[in-house]
Amino acid sequence: MNFDQEQHYRHEMVQIGRWLYERGWTPSYSGNYSVLLDEQRILTTPTGYCKGLLQPADLIIVDRQGVPLDPQTPLPSSELLMHLAVYAERPDVRACVHAHPPRTIACSIAGIELTQPLLEDIILTLGKIPTVPYARTGTAALGEAIKPFIRDHDALVLDHHGSLTVASSLTKAFHRTEQVEQAATIISTALSMGHLYPLAAEHVADLLAVRRARGGNPKAEPLLP
């Protein structure tokens, strides 16, 4: 990768940080995200920085073990372990976004899972959004906890913690975070009004047929109601 391409990624990451912060999904110093520069190097966010105030030079490059290539740069987030687990499990993934969207976290605290066939766009794109059992932030245990889920899903809820989305690009991973929070908002609002009523089985089957035709992973499909 040449210098201009790296600078493109740095500026994209700064923009993603502003979008996340402006939406209240990475308050204070929370959240982290990364993108593969090549097969040996990962560009990621530093620990202890507000994502809405990042500058291109603040971002750091680490190797596939998470070690900064320049020892003079800030340290990466301790949650980089989660990103490393994703890249090890999913060779197709080029970017990860971990955020703390409030409605998503609230759903996990309330025990509301985002796996039912309720929303057309989620069925067609993400399939279902499973919740990963709790593991303490910043530990290798969290990386291990996500492995069985991230193999087949592009968006996860981290119990009592936040969201993790992955994609072939950083901007696409960000948009998947938007989808997760939108789903959590709609589902929690619907519950406040009454019961949840999944789409009819025949409609879900029709949507799943479209999803499969688009190459969607069948292991990420919601169950028919």
Side-chain angles (χ1 to χ4, degrees):
M1 174 174 293
N2 62 38
F3 176 79
D4 289 340
Q5 289 173 312
E6 180 183 318
Q7 290 305 305
H8 166 78
Y9 281 120
R10 287 181 179 273
H11 285 280
E12 182 183 25
M13 289 188 75
V14 166
Q15 182 60 68
I16 295 297
R18 289 174 181 163
W19 287 342
L20 289 167
Y21 185 73
E22 288 166 359
R23 287 161 175 76
W25 299 346
T26 55
S28 185
Y29 304 141
S30 68
N32 39 82
Y33 44 97
S34 66
V35 63
L36 289 181
L37 293 178
D38 51 44
E39 295 312 309
Q40 287 75 44
R41 301 181 304 152
I42 301 168
L43 185 66
T44 189
T45 48
T47 189
Y49 280 64
C50 172
K51 305 310 174 292
L53 300 176
L54 284 172
Q55 298 300 316
D58 296 330
L59 300 163
I60 58 177
I61 299 176
V62 301
D63 63 19
R64 293 297 290 260
Q65 287 70 51
V67 178
L69 298 189
D70 181 352
Q72 302 304 314
T73 58
L75 292 174
S77 166
S78 61
E79 290 182 329
L80 180 63
L81 294 170
M82 179 168 55
H83 299 235
L84 298 177
V86 171
Y87 295 130
E89 292 292 321
R90 292 279 301 274
D92 60 308
V93 166
R94 310 298 295 180
C96 302
V97 172
H98 166 51
H100 294 178
R103 290 281 185 177
T104 300
I105 297 172
C107 281
S108 80
I109 292 172
I112 301 166
E113 297 220 13
L114 309 183
T115 54
Q116 295 186 59
L118 298 165
L119 301 169
E120 284 185 318
D121 59 331
I122 297 298
I123 295 171
L124 289 171
T125 56
L126 298 178
K128 63 181 177 183
I129 308 166
T131 298
V132 177
Y134 178 79
R136 184 163 64 83
T137 180
T139 65
L142 182 55
E144 289 299 315
I146 69 167
K147 284 183 179 181
F149 297 88
I150 204 64
R151 289 169 190 152
D152 300 307
H153 301 85
D154 295 324
L156 307 176
V157 176
L158 307 177
D159 184 43
H160 283 69
H161 185 167
S163 62
L164 175 66
T165 55
V166 303
S168 57
S169 74
L170 191 64
T171 298
K172 190 171 183 179
F174 165 78
H175 288 314
R176 286 176 172 167
T177 304
E178 282 190 305
Q179 288 184 279
V180 173
E181 181 68 350
Q182 174 77 348
T185 300
I186 292 170
I187 291 169
S188 59
T189 301
L191 274 172
S192 73
M193 297 176 177
H195 297 290
L196 297 179
Y197 295 94
L199 286 162
E202 63 268 26
H203 299 318
V204 176
D206 180 52
L207 291 167
L208 291 179
V210 174
R211 174 180 166 78
R212 290 166 192 161
R214 295 177 178 177
N217 188 335
K219 294 182 179 179
E221 293 177 357
L223 297 175
L224 290 174

